[in-house]
Amino acid sequence: MSRLPFWRARAAQILCATLAAASIGCEKRRTDAPAPLTLVECAVKGAEDKVKCGSLEVPESWEQPDGRKISLKIVVVPAAKPTGLAPLFDFAGGPGMAVTDGAAFYLTVGAANRATRDIVLVDQRGTGGSAPLRCAELEAASPLTRMYPVDRVRVCREALAKDHDLAQYTTLAAARDIDAVRAAIGAEKIDLFGLSYGTKLAQAYIREFPSHVRSAVLAGSAPMDLKTPLYHARNSENALRLIFTNCAADADCAAVYPSLEDDWAAIVARFEAGPVAMATPDGDLMVERGPFMETFRALLTTEGGQRRAPKLIRAVATGDFAPFVKATTSGPRGFIAEGLYLSVECAEGSALIDPAEIDAAKADTFLDRYRIDEQLGACAEWPIAEISPEFAEPVTSDVPTLIIAGGRDHVTPKDYAMRIAEGFSNSRVILIEELAHVADAISNIECFDNMALAFYEGADPDAVDASCIAEMKAPAFELP
């Protein structure tokens, strides 16, 4: 188990373009006067040790500081033996996940992270206990139904808009929230950890407040100009083809699934002919191609899902849908605040998509344009913040940064990490070949945390011993 317990699975006005140009005076959006913050002892589910909990009031619109306020939920996991080291701020993914939900990690298997310094968890605005933008109509639905039915998106938007300005829930606003918390706890510098979308928030914070960042670890990194979900189809197709190749090269897998690609072609053809009846925990459903393929894409997010894929493909090809339904619908739902996801991604990702790009992006992929059309349809119903074009520019910085990439990550492929590293002059990319986007079954997962801890110790990416990654291996393919 690691600091990757779940998929943390989504800004800017004109900023200083380079760290060389960034001085204290250049940080136009810094928090000048810390708001009052009171932390009290509290408990978290799944751990015996106590933490400190509190909240901080910030403007919903940072451009209108005297307007409506929102409250940020904060959990501080105190250092076991404080040494005065910079606190570590953990940024969750999605966007839409609540980082405070993972507090127990730092009190149990991840306790080494708080051995000598505090861990600060701030639910991003729109998530968890920070003015959450929840859409029950979308979050509770079966993944085997359409992702964003327009009528349900409208219901959520109308309900949330009564008490929230949905255009204020952006990455830049979240970065300014983080700096308000930093100032309130009295930390001059902080360390950052981001996973998936959390890496985008980390980059935004580094660009906005460079003088307050000591170092950063980015894992499963998303570039600032990522046009979510334009590349989902191509990236997941590449992941599937890699599974086919790896299975064919594995004697046991090849012997049990000798016709894997033909089986998959038969599945695609079956759904192209029309919806398929399936018995699910949500009742008997007629499952369309789009939802089925998007659910299959999500399965590939973990090493375990990828190694289970040949077995599930074979079962579905023979008409047995039960294993697939069980594997994809039995997990928790509602861990993404869909309203926050739409507020961020509609403005910062989908708005960048040129319709002329779509046909090439989806060509010859199993997902086709389903996910793109679903999200663009939802965004057409959602208030979209005006984002400066500079937000999509690569971040340029000399902040010491360790960038960890997975060779089997189809959500944020390794080339994304390479692109980000080009702007970070004091960075290093460590590639873990068999790591997927979320680590759920890879061996020697302790290596990940050990490398991060070693890096934070001296903030020198080149000094990190990465030899342990040789023992990080995905499990064997699942066989009958």
Side-chain angles (χ1 to χ4, degrees), residues 173-241:
R176 298 183 72 181
D177 294 343
I178 292 298
D179 201 60
V181 175
R182 176 205 60 77
I185 66 174
E188 180 58 28
K189 286 185 177 290
I190 60 176
D191 289 321
L192 310 179
F193 174 80
L195 172 65
S196 193
Y197 165 78
T199 66
K200 191 175 178 182
L201 176 55
Q203 291 171 78
Y205 186 86
I206 289 169
R207 179 158 58 186
E208 189 75 352
F209 304 101
S211 67
H212 292 310
V213 184
R214 175 180 171 270
S215 68
V217 173
L218 310 179
S221 303
M224 302 303 286
D225 63 350
L226 187 58
K227 301 177 182 180
T228 306
L230 182 64
Y231 303 115
H232 282 12
R234 175 57 53 204
N235 291 341
S236 54
E237 182 70 31
N238 291 342
L240 178 61
R241 295 297 156 182

Side-chain angles (χ1 to χ4, degrees), residues 376-463:
L376 290 181
C379 292
E381 301 292 331
W382 207 259
I384 298 178
E386 293 186 11
I387 303 297
S388 172
E390 284 77 9
F391 174 72
E393 293 296 320
V395 174
T396 304
S397 172
D398 64 0
V399 166
T401 303
L402 188 68
I403 304 174
I404 299 176
R408 294 181 181 173
D409 182 348
H410 74 84
V411 179
T412 52
K414 58 186 178 183
D415 59 297
Y416 290 2
M418 304 303 178
R419 284 174 50 197
I420 292 169
E422 291 176 0
F424 283 74
S425 59
N426 188 13
S427 69
R428 175 185 176 188
V429 176
I430 295 178
L431 176 63
I432 303 172
E433 285 291 353
E434 298 191 16
L435 179 68
H437 189 60
V438 174
D440 77 326
I442 198 166
S443 63
N444 195 30
I445 190 59
E446 297 80 6
C447 174
F448 184 101
D449 284 310
N450 291 339
M451 289 190 297
L453 287 169
F455 167 71
Y456 288 130
E457 181 82 17
D460 181 357
D462 292 330

